Coordinates of all heavy atoms in Angstrom, one line a residue:
E210 N -99.6 -81.2 -9.2 CA -98.6 -80.7 -8.2 C -99.0 -79.4 -7.7 O -99.2 -78.4 -8.6 CB -97.3 -80.7 -9.0 CG -96.9 -82.1 -9.4 CD -95.6 -82.2 -10.1 OE1 -94.8 -81.1 -10.2 OE2 -95.2 -83.2 -10.7
L211 N -98.8 -79.1 -6.4 CA -98.9 -77.9 -5.8 C -97.7 -77.4 -5.2 O -97.0 -78.1 -4.6 CB -100.0 -77.9 -4.8 CG -101.4 -78.2 -5.2 CD1 -102.3 -78.5 -4.0 CD2 -102.0 -77.2 -6.0
E212 N -97.3 -76.1 -5.4 CA -96.1 -75.6 -4.9 C -96.4 -74.3 -4.2 O -96.9 -73.3 -4.9 CB -95.0 -75.3 -5.9 CG -93.7 -74.9 -5.2 CD -92.4 -75.1 -6.1 OE1 -92.5 -75.6 -7.2 OE2 -91.4 -74.6 -5.8
D213 N -96.3 -74.3 -2.9 CA -96.7 -73.1 -2.1 C -98.1 -72.7 -2.4 O -98.5 -71.6 -2.5 CB -95.8 -72.0 -2.3 CG -94.3 -72.2 -1.8 OD1 -94.2 -72.8 -0.7 OD2 -93.5 -71.7 -2.5
G214 N -99.0 -73.8 -2.6 CA -100.4 -73.4 -2.7 C -100.7 -73.1 -4.3 O -101.9 -72.9 -4.6
R215 N -99.9 -73.0 -5.1 CA -100.0 -72.7 -6.5 C -100.1 -74.0 -7.4 O -99.4 -74.8 -7.1 CB -99.0 -71.7 -7.0 CG -99.0 -70.1 -6.5 CD -98.1 -69.4 -7.2 NE -96.6 -69.9 -7.2 CZ -95.7 -69.6 -6.3 NH1 -96.0 -68.8 -5.3 NH2 -94.6 -70.0 -6.3
I216 N -101.0 -73.9 -8.3 CA -101.1 -75.1 -9.2 C -100.1 -75.2 -10.1 O -99.7 -74.3 -10.8 CB -102.4 -75.0 -9.9 CG1 -103.7 -75.1 -8.8 CG2 -102.7 -76.3 -10.9 CD1 -105.0 -74.9 -9.5
G217 N -99.4 -76.3 -10.2 CA -98.3 -76.6 -11.1 C -98.8 -77.6 -12.2 O -99.8 -77.4 -12.9
Q218 N -98.0 -78.6 -12.5 CA -98.2 -79.6 -13.5 C -99.5 -80.4 -13.2 O -99.7 -80.9 -12.0 CB -97.1 -80.5 -13.8 CG -97.4 -81.4 -14.9 CD -96.0 -82.3 -15.3 OE1 -95.1 -82.3 -14.4 NE2 -96.1 -83.0 -16.2
I219 N -100.4 -80.6 -14.2 CA -101.6 -81.4 -14.0 C -101.4 -82.6 -15.0 O -101.3 -82.4 -16.2 CB -102.9 -80.5 -14.4 CG1 -103.1 -79.5 -13.4 CG2 -104.2 -81.5 -14.4 CD1 -104.1 -78.4 -13.7
T220 N -101.6 -83.8 -14.5 CA -101.5 -85.0 -15.3 C -102.6 -86.1 -15.0 O -103.3 -85.9 -14.1 CB -100.1 -85.7 -15.1 OG1 -99.9 -86.1 -13.7 CG2 -99.0 -84.8 -15.6
G221 N -102.8 -86.8 -16.0 CA -103.7 -88.0 -15.9 C -105.0 -87.7 -16.6 O -105.9 -88.6 -16.8
N222 N -105.3 -86.5 -17.0 CA -106.6 -86.1 -17.7 C -106.5 -86.5 -19.2 O -105.4 -86.3 -19.8 CB -107.0 -84.7 -17.4 CG -105.9 -83.8 -17.9 OD1 -104.7 -83.8 -17.5 ND2 -106.1 -82.8 -18.7
T223 N -107.6 -87.1 -19.7 CA -107.5 -87.5 -21.1 C -108.1 -86.4 -21.9 O -108.1 -86.5 -23.2 CB -108.2 -88.8 -21.3 OG1 -109.6 -88.8 -20.9 CG2 -107.5 -89.9 -20.5
C224 N -108.8 -85.4 -21.3 CA -109.3 -84.3 -22.1 C -109.1 -83.0 -21.4 O -108.7 -83.0 -20.3 CB -110.8 -84.5 -22.4 SG -112.0 -84.3 -21.0
P225 N -109.3 -81.9 -22.0 CA -109.0 -80.5 -21.4 C -109.9 -80.3 -20.3 O -109.5 -79.4 -19.4 CB -109.3 -79.5 -22.6 CG -109.2 -80.3 -23.8 CD -109.5 -81.8 -23.5
R226 N -111.1 -80.9 -20.3 CA -112.0 -80.6 -19.1 C -111.5 -81.1 -17.8 O -111.8 -80.5 -16.7 CB -113.3 -81.3 -19.4 CG -114.1 -80.6 -20.4 CD -115.4 -81.3 -20.6 NE -115.4 -82.5 -21.5 CZ -116.4 -83.2 -21.8 NH1 -117.7 -83.0 -21.5 NH2 -116.2 -84.2 -22.4
G227 N -110.5 -82.1 -17.8 CA -109.9 -82.6 -16.6 C -109.1 -81.4 -15.9 O -109.1 -81.2 -14.7
A228 N -108.2 -80.8 -16.7 CA -107.4 -79.7 -16.2 C -108.4 -78.5 -15.7 O -108.0 -77.9 -14.7 CB -106.4 -79.2 -17.2
D229 N -109.3 -78.1 -16.4 CA -110.2 -77.3 -16.0 C -110.9 -77.5 -14.6 O -111.1 -76.7 -13.8 CB -111.3 -77.0 -17.1 CG -110.7 -76.3 -18.4 OD1 -109.6 -75.8 -18.3 OD2 -111.5 -76.4 -19.5
Y230 N -111.5 -78.7 -14.6 CA -112.0 -79.2 -13.3 C -111.1 -79.0 -12.2 O -111.6 -78.7 -11.1 CB -112.5 -80.7 -13.5 CG -113.1 -81.2 -12.2 CD1 -114.2 -80.9 -11.6 CD2 -112.2 -82.2 -11.4 CE1 -114.7 -81.3 -10.4 CE2 -112.5 -82.6 -10.3 CZ -113.8 -82.3 -9.7 OH -114.2 -82.7 -8.5
V231 N -110.0 -79.6 -12.3 CA -109.0 -79.6 -11.1 C -108.8 -78.2 -10.7 O -108.6 -77.9 -9.5 CB -107.6 -80.4 -11.5 CG1 -106.7 -80.0 -10.5 CG2 -108.0 -81.9 -11.6
T232 N -108.4 -77.3 -11.7 CA -108.2 -75.9 -11.4 C -109.3 -75.3 -10.6 O -109.2 -74.5 -9.6 CB -107.9 -75.1 -12.7 OG1 -106.8 -75.7 -13.4 CG2 -107.5 -73.7 -12.4
K233 N -110.5 -75.5 -11.1 CA -111.6 -74.9 -10.5 C -112.0 -75.6 -9.1 O -112.2 -74.8 -8.1 CB -112.8 -75.2 -11.4 CG -114.2 -74.5 -10.9 CD -115.3 -74.6 -11.9 CE -116.6 -73.9 -11.6 NZ -117.7 -74.2 -12.5
E234 N -111.7 -76.8 -9.0 CA -111.9 -77.5 -7.7 C -110.9 -77.0 -6.6 O -111.4 -76.9 -5.5 CB -111.7 -79.0 -7.9 CG -112.1 -79.8 -6.7 CD -113.6 -79.8 -6.2 OE1 -114.4 -79.3 -7.0 OE2 -113.8 -80.2 -5.1
L235 N -109.8 -76.7 -7.2 CA -108.7 -76.2 -6.1 C -108.8 -74.8 -5.8 O -108.3 -74.4 -4.7 CB -107.4 -76.6 -6.5 CG -107.0 -78.1 -6.6 CD1 -105.7 -78.5 -7.2 CD2 -107.2 -78.8 -5.2
T236 N -109.4 -73.9 -6.7 CA -109.3 -72.6 -6.5 C -110.8 -72.0 -6.1 O -110.9 -71.1 -5.4 CB -108.9 -71.8 -7.8 OG1 -109.8 -72.2 -8.7 CG2 -107.5 -72.2 -8.0
D237 N -111.9 -72.6 -6.6 CA -113.2 -72.1 -6.3 C -114.2 -73.3 -6.5 O -115.0 -73.3 -7.5 CB -113.6 -71.0 -7.4 CG -114.9 -70.4 -7.1 OD1 -115.4 -70.4 -5.9 OD2 -115.6 -69.9 -8.0
P238 N -114.2 -74.3 -5.6 CA -115.0 -75.4 -5.7 C -116.5 -75.0 -5.6 O -116.9 -74.2 -4.8 CB -114.7 -76.2 -4.5 CG -114.1 -75.4 -3.5 CD -113.5 -74.2 -4.3
R239 N -117.3 -75.5 -6.6 CA -118.7 -75.1 -6.7 C -119.6 -76.6 -6.9 O -119.0 -77.5 -7.5 CB -118.9 -74.2 -7.8 CG -118.3 -72.9 -7.6 CD -118.2 -72.0 -8.9 NE -119.4 -71.2 -8.9 CZ -119.6 -70.1 -8.1 NH1 -118.7 -69.9 -7.1 NH2 -120.7 -69.3 -8.5

C-alpha cells in the first residue's frame, strides 16, 4: 500500500526478503 508515495503495509511475502525486495524496488530499483 502506498499513501502519497510512501510505503505502507506490505503483505503476501512469506519471508522477510519479500518486504526488503519491495522496499528496494520501489525506492531504488537495481
Side-chain angles (χ1 to χ4, degrees):
E210 292 179 10
L211 299 169
E212 186 167 351
D213 294 325
R215 289 187 307 265
I216 296 172
Q218 185 176 8
I219 298 172
T220 57
N222 53 306
T223 57
C224 72
R226 287 185 279 186
D229 291 342
Y230 169 75
V231 167
T232 300
K233 188 174 180 183
E234 185 65 16
L235 294 175
T236 59
D237 184 24
R239 299 171 88 70

